[in-house]
Amino acid sequence: LEVVGTIMAGSALDVTMGPGQAARIMTGAPMPAGADAVCMLEECRYEAEGAIVVIDRPVAVGNFVRRAGQDVDVGDTVLEAGSLITPGHIGVLADQGVVELTVYPRLRVGVLSTGDELTSGPGPLPMGKIRDANRHTLLALVRREGWDPVDLGIVGDDEEALGRALDGAGARCDAIVTSGGVSVGDLDVVKLVLAQRSTGTMRWMQVAIRPAKPLAFGILDGPVIPVFGLPGNPVSAMVSFELFVRPGGLRMSGHQVLDRSVVPALAEGDFRRRPDGKTHFLRSFVSLDDHGGWHVRPMAGQESHQLLAMAEANALAVLPDGDGVETGGQVQVALTEPGRLGSWSSASERILG
């Protein structure tokens, strides 16, 4: 074939090719008029100092040609309203020249710990005090969901101080999460202040689950700012976040899928419990075998203050009321850490150095 020109990416050939003619073309360059196929350079050889190209095998029409509309055609919908925008969608939109979208704003979630007993930071622990693990844990959970965490600090059992903290949070947060002060035996400071600032919408509940039975929820006065009151025990606070705060925040962010994936898994240990009218959520570790089957074992330490077991878990085994499941039985498991499957090593936002 007679070589009539070279087409670089980003340029075009002004010549219309006819029978017996060819042109050199770079990947990504537009096909010239009259051309109907491309042959790889490795399957060509030049003669007459490059004026002639010889192709030693048949080349089908359309070979290595990307035609308009093969990816997105006229009239195609590339993204529905309410869709979660992935990196791939960003590429598709950019490919269509779309540079602006109307989206839900990133949530700003304030996290507040309450109680005179709380302290934070290193050093000796004063008598009667406990370190505030909940606030740091909940801030990390907020960040993991892609929301903006707002550290509201620790407020003791002081009505005025708690009121000021909530008033300030309401002006800069889309939602507020508190921990402590919502169970039956606690002082009334948290309940009193939240009730005063929620125009009667605050509800104090005993949910039929274990852990995380106590729960409060309401709307602050003024802007619509939901407040989630979580229990003070660390594991209960984390489980409450999974079951209530996370779905609520996802709904506020426009998501359609609000719940974690739940899979049936083979019990590699006894998941014991007693009938008490509640659904139990046991800290567990799940893994996949070579055939795609799920396996789960319970973590040692299932009390609501045993945070290390929760940190090492990657799932919650969901046990309905009854006697539990013995080894070899089937357990429904909610995947709370889907990125940590198949290994007993711990994971965090950063790898410990």
Side-chain angles (χ1 to χ4, degrees), residues 7-26:
I7 314 167
M8 305 300 293
S11 66
L13 185 65
D14 292 333
V15 176
T16 298
M17 291 170 47
Q21 292 183 329
R24 292 194 68 198
I25 188 168
M26 307 302 157

Side-chain angles (χ1 to χ4, degrees), residues 75 95 188 190 202 288-289 293 327 331:
D95 195 38
D188 291 333
V190 175
M202 210 71 198
L288 277 170
D289 61 29
T327 301
V331 183

Side-chain angles (χ1 to χ4, degrees), residues 259-263 333-336:
D259 298 320
R260 294 286 190 186
S261 297
V262 177
V263 298
V333 179
L335 305 178
T336 58

Side-chain angles (χ1 to χ4, degrees), residues 75-319:
D76 285 351
T77 299
V78 297
L79 197 60
E80 296 279 359
S83 298
L84 176 65
I85 302 174
T86 67
H89 288 132
I90 295 293
V92 170
L93 293 168
D95 195 38
Q96 301 303 310
V98 177
V99 296
E100 291 186 356
L101 294 172
T102 300
V103 298
Y104 283 82
R106 190 188 303 274
L107 284 185
R108 291 178 56 83
V109 181
V111 177
L112 175 69
S113 288
T114 65
D116 284 341
E117 73 279 13
L118 297 179
T119 186
S120 186
L125 192 63
M127 180 61 66
K129 298 289 186 177
I130 59 175
R131 287 193 174 90
D132 177 22
N134 286 1
R135 182 166 50 94
H136 301 286
T137 303
L138 293 169
L139 287 168
L141 288 171
V142 168
R143 187 178 297 109
R144 187 184 67 181
E145 295 303 323
W147 308 328
D148 290 333
V150 179
D151 189 351
L152 302 177
I154 301 172
V155 178
D157 297 317
D158 182 305
E159 183 177 341
E160 291 186 4
L162 183 56
R164 288 194 301 269
L166 289 172
D167 292 342
R172 58 192 179 116
C173 298
D174 301 305
I176 299 172
V177 178
T178 71
S179 65
V182 296
S183 53
V184 174
D186 290 320
L187 294 175
D188 291 333
V189 173
V190 175
K191 296 180 180 179
L192 176 63
V193 174
L194 287 176
Q196 291 172 345
R197 283 164 169 76
S198 63
T199 59
T201 65
M202 210 71 198
R203 295 293 180 266
W204 311 95
M205 294 164 272
Q206 299 291 307
V207 187
I209 57 176
R210 182 177 179 182
K213 180 176 72 171
L215 178 74
F217 180 78
I219 305 296
L220 287 186
D221 291 346
V224 179
I225 308 294
V227 180
F228 298 84
L230 309 187
N233 277 312
V235 174
S236 297
M238 290 188 71
V239 172
S240 293
F241 185 94
E242 278 289 330
L243 297 182
F244 305 111
V245 180
R246 181 178 180 273
L250 290 175
R251 174 62 62 85
M252 292 175 68
S253 302
H255 287 254
Q256 305 299 314
V257 178
L258 308 181
D259 298 320
R260 294 286 190 186
S261 297
V262 177
V263 298
L266 180 68
E268 292 188 348
D270 291 336
F271 286 80
R272 295 189 177 93
R273 56 155 299 170
R274 294 179 180 177
D276 58 3
K278 302 183 183 72
T279 299
H280 287 203
F281 295 87
L282 272 63
R283 279 69 75 200
S284 309
F285 195 92
V286 297
S287 58
L288 277 170
D289 61 29
D290 294 337
H291 305 288
W294 294 97
H295 297 254
V296 59
R297 65 183 71 179
M299 307 297 297
Q302 292 289 335
E303 296 300 321
S304 59
H305 66 285
Q306 293 178 301
L307 188 56
L308 182 59
M310 186 70 175
E312 295 292 337
N314 64 0
L316 292 173
V318 185
L319 299 181

